[in-house]
């Protein structure tokens, strides 16, 4: 039996005493496309953080591929779900190519990139029109360039599901 990519039932979450999400239920099809719309501060980013396991719900359930999210090992979750947050703060001057290769991390053996990993990263640089930036330090990029490079990194991950939080920002 095929399961939806995600199934969320009666989900609730808050920061301290401030409720942000209450009674959320939804299904995301494995072969579908969806959008989450709402005003600023309505909990869209919080919901995405819950779906990737960065936050833990107070009530309700989240299933990934028919299994409770908290029971899916982190490595398996990283291969299955790509996540592009609203903002990423790079503390180190990695090159664009290195940032895109980081998307391959869930697939690496002993932390070493193969020729296939390099080819996937190059294809993702091309797909996002960022090949010309490959040797530039990531922190030196404009906001829009950073978003395209981070999208290339998520694509390089080859996840079954991609959760993009404001991917067209900047």
């Amino acid at each position: 039996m095929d399961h939806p990519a995600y199934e969320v039932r009666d989900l609730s979450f808050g920061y301290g005493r401030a409720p942000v999400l209450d009674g959320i239920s939804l299904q995301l099809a494995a072969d579908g496309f969806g959008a989450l719309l709402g005003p600023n501060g309505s909990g869209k980013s919080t919901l995405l953080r819950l779906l990737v396991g960065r936050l833990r719900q107070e009530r309700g359930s989240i299933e990934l591929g028919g299994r409770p999210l908290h029971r899916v090992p982190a490595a398996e979750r990283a291969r299955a779900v790509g996540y592009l947050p609203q903002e990423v703060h790079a503390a180190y001057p990695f090159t664009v190519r290195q940032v895109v290769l980081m998307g391959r991390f869930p697939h690496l053996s002993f932390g070493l990139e193969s020729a296939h990993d390099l080819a996937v990263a190059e294809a993702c640089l091309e797909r996002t029109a960022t090949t010309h930036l490959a040797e530039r330090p990531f922190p030196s990029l404009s906001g829009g360039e950073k978003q395209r490079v981070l999208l290339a990194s998520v694509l390089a991950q080859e996840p079954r599901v991609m959760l993009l939080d404001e991917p067209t920002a900047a």
Side-chain angles (χ1 to χ4, degrees):
M1 178 173 148
D2 287 338
H3 295 279
Y6 275 101
E7 185 157 6
V8 176
R9 286 186 229 80
D10 196 30
L11 183 72
S12 295
F13 179 83
Y15 294 102
R17 292 183 176 199
V20 176
L21 302 170
D22 188 31
I24 303 294
S25 294
L26 61 91
Q27 282 188 350
L28 300 174
D31 59 353
F33 179 85
L36 187 58
L37 304 173
N40 290 345
S42 62
K44 301 178 302 291
S45 295
T46 297
L47 178 58
L48 293 178
R49 285 188 212 107
L50 286 159
L51 291 176
V52 296
R54 289 193 176 176
L55 297 174
R56 183 82 185 251
Q57 72 269 19
E58 293 170 359
R59 189 182 80 229
S61 65
I62 301 171
E63 291 184 357
L64 175 62
R67 294 167 51 201
L69 182 66
H70 68 276
R71 291 211 175 120
V72 177
E76 183 179 336
R77 211 173 29 220
R79 286 187 297 274
V81 180
Y83 173 58
L84 177 62
Q86 279 184 35
E87 296 179 17
V88 172
H89 303 285
Y92 300 100
F94 293 111
T95 67
V96 164
R97 180 173 281 110
Q98 289 170 322
V99 169
V100 175
L101 275 167
M102 287 178 198
R104 296 298 301 159
F105 185 77
H107 303 283
L108 300 182
S109 295
F110 305 107
L112 302 172
E113 298 101 3
S114 68
H116 174 72
D117 296 315
L118 295 169
V120 168
E122 290 303 316
C124 293
L125 285 165
E126 289 176 25
R127 193 169 175 191
T128 56
T130 54
T131 303
H132 67 287
L133 302 172
E135 299 309 317
R136 293 237 337 246
F138 181 78
S140 74
L141 303 180
S142 72
E145 290 169 332
K146 285 178 181 176
Q147 281 296 93
R148 288 194 349 250
V149 168
L150 293 170
L151 179 58
S153 183
V154 171
L155 291 169
Q157 194 175 334
E158 297 181 316
R160 291 191 318 264
V161 176
M162 289 193 311
L163 301 174
L164 312 175
D165 193 351
E166 297 194 28
T168 60

